Amino acid sequence: MIRTQTVPLSQTDRRRRYTLLALVVLLATALAVVAPGSSRAAGESAAAAATHPGTSPGWAALGAAPHAVPAGARPDGARSAKPTVVLVHGAFADSSGWSQSITQLTEDGYPTVAVANPLRGLTFDSDYVRSVLQTIPGPIVLVGHSYGGAVITNAARGVPNVRALVYAGAFVPDAGESIATAADPTRFPGSLLGPDTTIVRPTANPAAAGGQDVDIYISLDAFRRVFAGDVSAERARVMARTQRPLTATANFEPSGEPAWKSLPSWDLITMVDNAIPPAAQQFMASRAGAHIATVASAHDVMVSHPDAVTHIVEQAARAVS
């Protein structure tokens, strides 16, 4: 029988072995990146992305290092043919309301992002939306519905790659105006939003003075009449039960210098709107010098008339591309 003898490795041999092992690991990682079709490679790539998000192509595409991406260019070095559309919902809604327009826009080749508006305070919400905008390379068309219009009016300041603003059944405030005063109810009567159609609930709010606030909801029995008159009663019941509230702080906080003074804007006016009277929308849109279109829609235009929303967004996108 032949006996084998184990010879202890020297320190130099150990270093060589560890170096070789490291090279093998690096090679396997590289193969995982260039061959994502392999299920094992895909799993290794996903694990690497989760551990080191800054080096993942997916994180880079979301703008993990926006300062390193020149305006108008994608992280992979290619030019984006169309601007990114960023959608900002308003009060008593959420990002799912944009779902049909998102489908239409993406099918038409527009990168699309729907931002979850916090609805806590105009400055707070605008700062949050701006932080999202700053992660997006290339030109942006920024869209706001209802209170989201006040948010985009402020969020676009200081973001040079925002090329256009699009308002849909929205507030378009000037400096010093809140959404409670921009559509002056004595001058523009007709809104059904008020104490008789809303309920309030106390809440903590970091954006409020003293940290305490109230959340405002549309009451369930008034929701369809105020907000969603163009959808079925069943759909309106679901929307009412999933609505996200607006704080009193957000309702009364005044706007800063409006971005529409330096950016081209488009405005889709909802002509059967019981939340923001059409005459008030017309006034605000004309004051902003917006390109105006109208649609026979209730306030929930992004839900009930997504084609009209998509049309005006793409019109703006083509104009600034």
Side-chain angles (χ1 to χ4, degrees), residues 49-60:
T51 308
H52 304 290
T55 61
S56 161
W59 279 85

Side-chain angles (χ1 to χ4, degrees), residues 236-282:
R237 280 194 293 271
V238 172
M239 292 170 63
R241 285 164 173 77
T242 57
Q243 65 177 295
R244 292 185 53 215
L246 184 74
T247 64
T249 293
N251 194 56
F252 294 108
E253 185 178 354
S255 174
E257 187 68 12
W260 50 257
K261 288 190 175 180
S262 58
L263 289 171
S265 61
W266 281 255
D267 199 317
L268 180 63
I269 296 173
T270 43
M271 299 300 291
V272 196
D273 196 321
N274 289 329
I276 308 176
Q281 294 182 48
Q282 180 76 44

Side-chain angles (χ1 to χ4, degrees), residues 73-93:
R74 297 205 313 258
D76 60 8
R79 289 273 165 178
S80 176
K82 295 182 177 180
T84 298
V85 176
V86 178
L87 305 162
V88 181
H89 67 82
F92 320 121

Side-chain angles (χ1 to χ4, degrees), residues 132-187:
V132 176
L133 298 176
Q134 289 170 339
T135 70
I136 299 173
I140 295 170
V141 173
L142 184 56
V143 185
H145 170 251
S146 191
Y147 165 73
V151 173
I152 70 170
T153 294
N154 289 269
R157 288 197 311 270
V159 187
N161 51 320
V162 175
R163 298 287 190 261
L165 303 173
V166 179
Y167 298 90
F171 291 101
V172 189
D174 203 347
E177 294 178 342
S178 69
I179 65 169
T181 61
D184 181 358
T186 59
R187 185 176 178 186

Side-chain angles (χ1 to χ4, degrees), residues 5-187:
Q5 182 177 5
T6 302
V7 179
L9 293 175
S10 67
Q11 186 174 0
T12 299
D13 289 333
R14 288 193 185 94
R15 281 199 298 268
R16 287 174 178 167
R17 178 168 291 185
Y18 293 149
T19 299
L20 180 60
L21 179 60
L23 289 172
V24 170
V25 171
L26 286 173
L27 179 59
T29 302
L31 289 173
V33 172
V34 300
S38 161
S39 59
R40 180 178 178 183
E44 291 173 352
S45 179
T51 308
H52 304 290
T55 61
S56 161
W59 279 85
L62 288 173
H67 58 278
V69 182
R74 297 205 313 258
D76 60 8
R79 289 273 165 178
S80 176
K82 295 182 177 180
T84 298
V85 176
V86 178
L87 305 162
V88 181
H89 67 82
F92 320 121
D94 61 25
S95 289
S96 68
W98 300 107
S99 58
Q100 295 178 80
S101 284
I102 290 170
T103 298
Q104 293 167 349
L105 288 163
T106 54
E107 286 177 350
D108 290 343
Y110 290 94
T112 306
V113 176
V115 181
N117 189 352
L119 306 178
R120 299 296 85 190
L122 187 55
T123 299
F124 183 94
D125 300 338
S126 300
D127 288 347
Y128 175 74
V129 172
R130 187 181 301 110
S131 74
V132 176
L133 298 176
Q134 289 170 339
T135 70
I136 299 173
I140 295 170
V141 173
L142 184 56
V143 185
H145 170 251
S146 191
Y147 165 73
V151 173
I152 70 170
T153 294
N154 289 269
R157 288 197 311 270
V159 187
N161 51 320
V162 175
R163 298 287 190 261
L165 303 173
V166 179
Y167 298 90
F171 291 101
V172 189
D174 203 347
E177 294 178 342
S178 69
I179 65 169
T181 61
D184 181 358
T186 59
R187 185 176 178 186

